Amino acid sequence: MKANILMKYFTLFSLAALLLTLNGCGETANSKTEAAASAVTAVAVKELTPEEKFLETKKKAEAGDPEAQNSLGEMYTKGGAYIFDASGTLIFAEDHSKALEWFQKAATQGHAMAQFRLGIMYEQGAGTPKDMTKAIFWYQKSASQNNPNAQVSLGYLYREGKNVPKDTARAFDLFQKAASNPFASDAQYALGYTYANGIGVPKNMTKAIEWFQKAAELGYADAQEKLTALYTLGEGIPKDEEQAAEWWKKAAAQGNIYAQTYLGKMYLNGKVLPKDDAKAFDWLQKAAAQGGTDAQANLGMMYYDRRGVGNNIVFAYAWINLASSIGHGFISKDKVNAIKSLRDNIELELTQSQRAEGQRLASNWKKGDILQSSNDSAAVSTSPDVKPSKQATGTAFVVSSEGHALTNHHVINGCAEVKIAGREGVVKVITSDSVNDLALLQFSGKVNDIATLNPDLGKLRQGDDIIVFGYPLNWVLSSGGNLTPGTISALTGMGNNTNQIQITAPIQPGSSGSPVMDKKGNVVGVVSMKLSDTKMVKSTGSVGQNVNFAVNGQTVKSFLDANKVPYKTGGGFFSREKGNADIAEEARKSTMLVECWK
């Protein structure tokens, strides 16, 4: 728990009052002139690209600005920095040694956040050998300036006696100082934990719950998880399972593996929440993909018992096999033995090919994966009463007000039903093109939010910035979609395929069908494939980095024209480049999660 909390960088929010001065109620000619000048200025201001922001920050940092030095260190830490490659092109870079250098410069000038980040780097050994003496030195420097992040980090060291004399009273004092900041959720949680366990202070569940509540309301998942336990047990607070369930939902939505597991089990048994096998399956699958042993076992049983999903005995065997290896989650020895016994019993029902497929799935599984069989006939029961179940997901985006949407052929290929997450019923597949990997869908009803296509695709250049918005790894990552920036690295695709472009934006399972957009938010392509790491290693001995492909915009237009889809193009007099946040906000309205049911 402590290691996770240490790595949660806390961003201070500063609250400022907006002061408005009124010089009378009338509007003078002079005020009109000033307003017009302000409007012209506002229009003239252009939002900087990430590269421009980096270069401007670097320039200020080199001039000695400590704020810029700290920001530059963050850019190098998070891979948001840019460097010139051999051809003179700016590319993404991540360099912890450079980050350390710039944090050091800012820290020596007294920048509290840089001092804290420097302490983190020395404690974690990032960009430098681990050095707890230096880590503690910089934590203390930052904490003396009332930086809550440093106070919390230092508090944990004193509480545990790690490289400093154990001093729980001092730890409590540091937590208390940090928690006085109304947004320091990690400090509030630490203080609640201290009161709940009586560490360096008399045990006080009333105060513990008060601090847990503050942290939970700020979205701190560990505090939300703690409140669910307290409400469930009625410890220090009236027992309220419905309130506990609400906190489980909030923690689960943030990816907390235990919350996802328990929420899935609640929907499964229907004791607190209404029984809902589909929701149970979704939450258990999210936790199982993170390595949750209990979730994997329950998910396996859902497949075996046909609870919210078709009978797939191979998936049942694979998930329970994974659970029997004891992954993430503390379960009793008796439960481990029960899981192993269940695995052995299921194995007796399998054919030789089914057993081999289940073992292959389990042995090839890695954190973040959901199971996808390469042999559906061996995996799925042939019983006539089997209903289709969700087997895979992708992304689609709306291209006309009549409900037409685009995705990849391979996303919908072989699906018994195609659905859109959050919409009732199935979606009609109008047509698909296996050669160019495009598919046209249509759902009922008029829509207002549609994607626009780039009006002048002939002007696209190698090196142009692009943005991809889609639903990769939806069972693990954000259910609200993910934005990933990149560039056009080549104007042709695999084997110089002129119907494709090559992009650097990272592509994950579920990204297929995502719109590739320019800086104005207009579509220039559709994500189609990524270079196989396995095949790359076999053929070259190395792994390709961000070698991904998209169907180009001209091919997309031809496909839509051939099917008489009334799409729209962007551009025009008021067309302008937008920030990534604006593009994400617009794309989220026209982009959706596609489900393949078999």
Side-chain angles (χ1 to χ4, degrees), residues 232-248:
T232 300
L233 299 172
E235 184 179 348
I237 197 169
K239 186 174 181 178
D240 189 336
E241 290 185 323
E242 290 184 0
Q243 186 64 40
E246 290 304 309
W247 285 114
W248 277 130

Side-chain angles (χ1 to χ4, degrees), residues 2 28 63 77 81 105 109 121 195 217 219 222 247 276 289 336 349 372 388 393-394 454 467 482 498 526 544 580:
K2 187 250 178 193
T28 64
T77 300
K105 291 178 184 293
Q109 293 195 68
M121 297 193 79
Y195 275 118
E217 288 171 353
D222 290 338
W247 285 114
D276 190 324
V336 172
E349 300 180 32
Q372 295 189 29
T393 63
N454 181 297
I467 297 96
N482 285 76
T498 56
V526 180
N580 287 355

Side-chain angles (χ1 to χ4, degrees), residues 267-445:
Y267 280 120
L268 201 58
N269 61 42
K271 291 181 179 178
V272 178
L273 296 171
K275 184 178 288 188
D276 190 324
D277 288 345
K279 288 182 179 179
F281 179 85
D282 282 343
W283 285 116
L284 289 172
Q285 184 169 248
K286 289 178 189 292
Q290 294 193 67
T293 301
D294 200 7
Q296 290 171 344
N298 278 277
L299 190 63
M301 285 307 301
M302 289 194 74
Y303 274 114
Y304 187 73
D305 293 334
R306 308 180 193 180
R307 292 282 303 272
V309 65
N311 177 269
N312 190 317
I313 197 167
V314 170
F315 281 7
Y317 174 62
W319 278 122
I320 292 171
N321 201 4
L322 282 167
S324 68
S325 65
I326 311 178
H328 187 294
F330 300 100
I331 58 177
S332 68
K333 185 178 180 179
D334 288 343
K335 191 164 187 176
V336 172
N337 290 334
I339 292 172
K340 289 181 177 179
S341 178
L342 179 61
R343 176 202 60 192
D344 295 341
N345 289 332
I346 291 177
E347 190 171 290
L348 296 175
E349 300 180 32
L350 303 175
T351 64
Q352 185 175 352
S353 62
Q354 287 175 330
R355 184 166 58 253
E357 173 70 356
Q359 291 172 348
R360 182 193 70 81
L361 288 169
S363 62
N364 291 340
W365 181 88
K366 60 183 181 297
K367 189 174 181 181
D369 286 352
I370 58 171
L371 300 183
Q372 295 189 29
S373 177
S374 62
N375 185 359
D376 288 340
S377 62
V380 182
S381 166
T382 57
S383 175
D385 63 346
V386 173
K387 295 181 180 179
S389 63
K390 183 170 65 177
Q391 297 294 318
T393 63
T395 301
F397 59 98
V398 183
V399 291
S400 85
S401 58
E402 296 178 6
H404 294 99
L406 267 180
T407 188
N408 292 135
H409 166 78
H410 75 260
V411 170
I412 56 88
N413 187 37
C415 303
E417 296 177 350
V418 176
K419 298 182 180 182
I420 299 296
R423 284 182 172 268
E424 293 293 332
V426 298
V427 176
K428 183 178 180 181
V429 179
I430 302 295
T431 186
S432 67
D433 179 350
S434 61
V435 175
N436 292 309
D437 197 21
L438 290 173
L440 182 63
L441 313 178
Q442 188 171 27
F443 47 86
S444 59

Side-chain angles (χ1 to χ4, degrees), residues 95-345:
D95 190 329
H96 290 292
S97 296
K98 282 282 189 184
L100 185 80
E101 175 188 335
W102 288 109
F103 285 143
Q104 185 87 42
K105 291 178 184 293
T108 54
Q109 293 195 68
H111 195 285
M113 184 55 77
Q115 292 169 342
F116 163 68
R117 296 192 185 281
L118 202 55
I120 284 284
M121 297 193 79
Y122 278 119
E123 181 172 3
Q124 301 296 329
T128 181
K130 287 186 179 182
D131 189 328
M132 286 305 299
T133 301
K134 289 183 178 179
I136 292 166
F137 172 81
W138 287 113
Y139 283 152
Q140 289 174 332
K141 284 279 190 182
S142 183
S144 67
Q145 296 192 66
N146 292 321
N147 182 289
N149 305 276
Q151 289 168 334
V152 170
S153 296
L154 203 56
Y156 278 113
L157 295 180
Y158 277 110
R159 193 182 79 180
E160 298 173 14
K162 183 178 179 181
N163 296 94
V164 293
K166 188 171 183 177
D167 190 336
T168 55
R170 186 169 184 184
F172 171 75
D173 183 58
L174 285 163
F175 292 147
Q176 194 168 41
K177 286 179 179 178
S180 65
N181 184 295
F183 300 104
S185 57
D186 52 349
Q188 293 165 352
Y189 172 79
L191 196 56
Y193 187 91
T194 300
Y195 275 118
N197 293 277
I199 304 174
V201 66
K203 184 174 180 178
N204 188 323
M205 287 307 299
T206 300
K207 288 187 176 181
I209 291 167
E210 175 188 341
W211 288 109
F212 284 145
Q213 189 86 29
K214 288 178 183 290
E217 288 171 353
L218 289 174
Y220 199 78
D222 290 338
Q224 292 170 344
E225 181 192 337
K226 182 63 69 175
L227 279 177
T228 60
L230 295 176
Y231 273 114
T232 300
L233 299 172
E235 184 179 348
I237 197 169
K239 186 174 181 178
D240 189 336
E241 290 185 323
E242 290 184 0
Q243 186 64 40
E246 290 304 309
W247 285 114
W248 277 130
K249 289 179 183 178
K250 292 178 181 179
Q254 296 191 72
N256 184 285
I257 189 171
Y258 298 107
Q260 291 173 343
T261 301
Y262 283 109
L263 192 58
K265 291 166 73 173
M266 284 181 189
Y267 280 120
L268 201 58
N269 61 42
K271 291 181 179 178
V272 178
L273 296 171
K275 184 178 288 188
D276 190 324
D277 288 345
K279 288 182 179 179
F281 179 85
D282 282 343
W283 285 116
L284 289 172
Q285 184 169 248
K286 289 178 189 292
Q290 294 193 67
T293 301
D294 200 7
Q296 290 171 344
N298 278 277
L299 190 63
M301 285 307 301
M302 289 194 74
Y303 274 114
Y304 187 73
D305 293 334
R306 308 180 193 180
R307 292 282 303 272
V309 65
N311 177 269
N312 190 317
I313 197 167
V314 170
F315 281 7
Y317 174 62
W319 278 122
I320 292 171
N321 201 4
L322 282 167
S324 68
S325 65
I326 311 178
H328 187 294
F330 300 100
I331 58 177
S332 68
K333 185 178 180 179
D334 288 343
K335 191 164 187 176
V336 172
N337 290 334
I339 292 172
K340 289 181 177 179
S341 178
L342 179 61
R343 176 202 60 192
D344 295 341
N345 289 332

